[in-house]
Amino acid sequence: MVEKSMPEAEQRVREILATVKDPEIPVLTVEDMGIIRDIELDGQKVKVKITPTYSGCPAMDEIAADIRKALLAEGYEPEVVSLLSPPWSSLWISAEGRRKMEVYGIAAPLEEVADKRALMGEKRVVKCTHCGSMNTRLVSQFGSTACKALFQCNDCLEPFDYFKCI
Amino acid sequence: MNKSLYDYLILLGDSPLILGHRLSELCGHGPNLETDIALSNIALDLFGQVRNWFQYAAEIHGEGKTEDDIAFLRYEHEYRNVILTEQPNKDFAWVIARQFYFDAWHYSLLTQLCESRDERISAIAAKSIKEVTYHRRFSSEWVKRLGDGTEESRARMENAIAHFAMYKGELFEETNVEKEMFASGTGADFKVLKAQFESFTNEVLNEAGLEIPQIDWTQRGGKHGVHSEHLGYILADLQYMQRAYPGMQW
Ligand SMILES: [Zn+2]
């Protein structure tokens, strides 16, 4: 029966997807970002459903193309479909993804209430990715890409990115 | 083709398209790095949302129509954006006042569309509102900061808020298509829209210490394809490539 071998076959596809990186945060894979919603396999045909992070994120078209390319290279017949609903949430970033993000120098998203306080500049709750100090300030709600805000550390004075809660 | 639904999607997409274009003109010209990046990011979010509306509109239309055809190959009288969105950039207070009115309206509109009976519309609205929440926060924070700032910033902000008040009324004028969409559970209730808009903008203006403009007339026409002279210039810029090299691909 086909179904018996499904998990293993899907595992193989997931391993390939784990090689596809987010072009804007290249330490994160598309799996870490939590944008893979579903995988449908039918022989060599594979349908990957992804959810865009931000509507206008220019990386999304590139990510879809990279997924297609990676699967083609392994002999699959890929189709990448974009799903709008439910909308992507920063809660879908994996624990491993959050860890890698912090090491890379981007503070991982806080939960919603704390995020709002941080982005209103009300509370010092975002930790400096350079020195670990909590004495940081919001510079701008919008950062180098749609998903980030810009912060600065009052202790080591270095600027750093914070991944916004969405 | 469901003509009403198509027309409705054009109404939803055209305002963010034209405002997004206006904001993109500021890329590299913002008053400082942070606001420059913020305005460019807002433009990018708006374009992303427009793509979602126009991709849906293209599917409804059929006959091989694409999102690009809709964005780039219509004539001026076929655009349905509110006139507010085509007003040119002047100083930063000008940009913020236009954005503030737009965001307050956009946020309330999308909040209602999240409950639309049309699943595609509710999905696009649910996606967009997460982004628009940040836009509205950005523009209202700046209204407060400039209103509550120096004598100069306050005067400019008050002037801009008063100027753009004449474009507010059109945001709440219902076209036949919008009436039909509300009746079928697809569109928004304009009474609720207006009430939410008024209460939010009044609250922010009060906090900013700015006078709330009292105005009983409005500029109108955009939603029926009758525009100010500014739209023609925007389209000349926006459509240049597709008009000069038809069917050109990136
Ligand atoms: Zn530090």
Side-chain angles (χ1 to χ4, degrees):
Chain A
M1 253 192 49
V2 189
E3 269 164 39
K4 228 174 191 170
S5 60
M6 276 305 274
E8 203 180 304
E10 188 179 317
Q11 192 53 41
R12 178 72 199 112
V13 171
R14 292 213 176 255
E15 278 165 25
I16 297 167
L17 293 179
T19 66
V20 179
K21 304 285 200 291
D22 180 329
E24 282 176 347
I25 312 176
V27 289
L28 298 184
T29 70
V30 290
E31 289 268 26
D32 293 330
M33 286 296 288
I35 59 177
I36 308 289
R37 300 320 297 158
D38 194 24
I39 294 167
E40 280 173 25
L41 265 166
D42 176 13
Q44 288 308 100
K45 285 195 187 126
V46 53
K47 191 177 192 174
V48 181
K49 297 182 183 166
I50 62 172
T51 306
T53 50
Y54 278 73
S55 306
C57 180
M60 290 314 296
D61 286 345
E62 206 175 314
I63 287 173
D66 287 348
I67 290 175
R68 227 173 279 125
K69 220 163 45 186
L71 289 167
L72 268 175
E74 297 292 329
Y76 289 93
E77 296 170 38
E79 185 191 351
V80 182
V81 194
S82 178
L83 292 184
L84 282 173
S85 182
W88 184 81
S89 158
S90 45
L91 292 170
W92 295 354
I93 301 172
S94 68
E96 176 64 3
R98 293 174 64 91
R99 195 191 59 78
K100 286 196 231 168
M101 190 183 276
E102 298 256 353
V103 173
Y104 185 63
I106 302 170
L110 298 162
E111 51 90 28
E112 211 178 325
V113 180
D115 174 88
K116 203 172 166 206
R117 285 197 184 131
L119 291 177
M120 297 301 277
E122 281 172 12
K123 247 195 161 153
R124 289 175 180 167
V125 282
V126 177
K127 196 159 131 195
C128 171
T129 56
H130 304 284
C131 73
S133 165
M134 295 300 281
N135 184 17
T136 61
R137 68 180 186 96
L138 171 74
V139 176
S140 172
Q141 286 172 9
F142 294 85
S144 52
T145 62
C147 52
K148 288 175 274 176
L150 187 63
F151 274 74
Q152 188 180 14
C153 178
N154 291 328
D155 287 332
C156 74
L157 301 180
E158 290 291 331
F160 62 95
D161 280 329
Y162 164 67
F163 199 103
K164 287 187 275 193
C165 167
I166 187 177
Chain B
M1 165 175 98
N2 181 342
K3 175 93 170 53
S4 298
L5 181 56
Y6 177 81
D7 289 346
Y8 187 55
L9 293 167
I10 297 299
L11 269 166
L12 291 175
D14 276 348
S15 288
L17 171 70
I18 299 303
L19 183 61
H21 184 84
R22 272 295 182 226
L23 293 173
S24 73
E25 293 173 353
L26 293 163
C27 184
H29 301 276
N32 61 22
L33 190 60
E34 285 75 30
T35 44
D36 191 302
I37 290 171
L39 294 169
S40 304
N41 268 316
I42 293 171
L44 196 59
D45 284 343
L46 294 177
F47 288 142
Q49 295 165 15
V50 172
R51 287 191 64 186
N52 287 331
W53 294 127
F54 286 178
Q55 279 166 5
Y56 187 22
E59 283 170 37
I60 298 294
H61 189 281
E63 296 167 33
K65 194 129 182 134
T66 68
E67 52 178 311
D68 286 343
D69 297 336
I70 298 175
F72 298 119
L73 298 178
R74 280 180 295 150
Y75 293 106
E76 186 177 337
H77 68 273
E78 294 168 310
Y79 283 80
R80 293 291 182 267
N81 59 287
V82 289
I83 289 187
L84 171 72
T85 57
E86 64 202 44
Q87 297 311 304
N89 302 320
K90 204 172 128 191
D91 62 12
F92 185 59
W94 218 252
V95 170
I96 290 299
R98 185 184 62 203
Q99 194 66 32
F100 171 63
Y101 285 135
F102 178 81
D103 291 341
W105 169 77
H106 201 202
Y107 180 88
S108 299
L109 175 66
L110 292 171
T111 306
Q112 289 196 50
L113 293 185
C114 287
E115 309 299 325
S116 172
R117 214 178 270 175
D118 181 306
E119 281 177 15
R120 181 82 167 262
I121 290 181
S122 68
I124 297 172
K127 176 84 205 143
S128 308
I129 196 140
K130 289 188 168 204
E131 298 156 0
V132 172
T133 303
Y134 281 106
H135 304 172
R136 193 178 73 151
R137 200 182 290 166
F138 172 81
S139 54
S140 50
E141 284 306 302
W142 270 106
V143 168
K144 290 182 214 165
R145 199 183 300 183
L146 295 175
D148 198 17
T150 63
E151 212 173 294
E152 173 78 12
S153 75
R154 185 197 143 75
R156 287 194 189 213
M157 198 66 243
E158 195 150 70
N159 182 19
I161 287 289
H163 171 78
F164 283 110
M166 69 171 143
Y167 300 99
K168 272 191 318 184
E170 190 185 15
L171 302 172
F172 312 110
E173 289 191 327
E174 237 174 336
T175 60
N176 288 335
V177 170
E178 285 163 320
K179 278 182 197 146
E180 188 187 329
M181 288 296 140
F182 173 55
S184 69
T186 303
D189 182 339
F190 273 53
K191 282 195 207 76
V192 174
L193 189 60
K194 187 166 196 286
Q196 287 180 345
F197 174 94
E198 298 290 355
S199 101
F200 179 79
T201 52
N202 288 351
E203 191 187 313
V204 173
L205 293 174
N206 274 330
E207 214 179 310
L210 294 171
E211 208 170 299
I212 295 164
Q214 303 300 327
I215 186 165
D216 56 4
W217 60 281
T218 183
Q219 297 278 6
R220 60 166 68 88
K223 291 168 84 170
H224 299 278
V226 182
H227 294 278
S228 66
E229 65 168 317
H230 305 297
L231 186 65
Y233 291 96
I234 293 181
L235 295 183
D237 202 10
L238 185 74
Q239 300 190 338
Y240 168 78
M241 203 60 99
Q242 281 301 326
R243 296 291 187 193
Y245 304 96
M248 186 201 176
Q249 297 273 315
W250 211 241

